[in-house]
Amino acid sequence: MPKIAEFADRVITLVAEESDIPKEAILSKSRTAEVVDARHLAIKLLHSKDIYPSRIATIFGMSPRSVRHVITAFDARVQANKSLGYNLAKIRKQLG
């Protein structure tokens, strides 16, 4: 369990640095487009490393169903915001 928490913190930190949005905002319930993009990016990165939606939901204070929706709708969000796709690729490279 601590390994997932540490990895999640690292991912959220990288997303915060890349998007210039504080970690607290990413973990908040804020609905501004920039914060939502950052939150969804972090969720997508965690899921791409085989972390279950239920675990991700616990980290972000969401329901597992909401997390699954974020994961499935992420590609459409990238189509609307190309920099999101660029940030995803850049952070994936940093994570290895």
Side-chain angles (χ1 to χ4, degrees):
M1 182 162 148
K3 290 181 182 178
I4 291 176
E6 290 169 13
F7 180 71
D9 186 59
R10 182 169 174 229
V11 167
I12 294 168
T13 300
L14 287 171
V15 170
E17 290 169 0
E18 195 62 39
S19 62
D20 290 328
I21 295 176
K23 287 172 60 173
E24 297 79 25
I26 293 171
L27 292 168
S28 75
K29 302 289 184 193
S30 174
R31 290 183 162 190
T32 62
E34 298 84 14
V35 173
V36 171
D37 281 346
R39 185 180 309 123
H40 288 199
L41 177 59
I43 289 170
K44 180 68 173 181
L45 286 162
L46 290 170
H47 184 257
S48 70
K49 294 295 182 176
D50 297 328
I51 297 175
Y52 290 114
S54 58
R55 293 299 304 271
I56 297 170
T58 303
I59 294 165
F60 286 91
M62 306 168 79
S63 70
R65 183 175 184 208
S66 295
V67 171
R68 285 189 293 273
H69 174 74
V70 167
I71 293 163
T72 57
F74 187 80
D75 291 336
R77 197 162 192 93
V78 168
Q79 293 301 316
N81 182 357
K82 297 294 182 188
S83 66
L84 195 57
Y86 171 76
N87 289 345
L88 176 67
K90 188 172 180 182
I91 296 171
R92 273 189 177 157
K93 195 173 192 179
Q94 290 175 323
L95 290 172

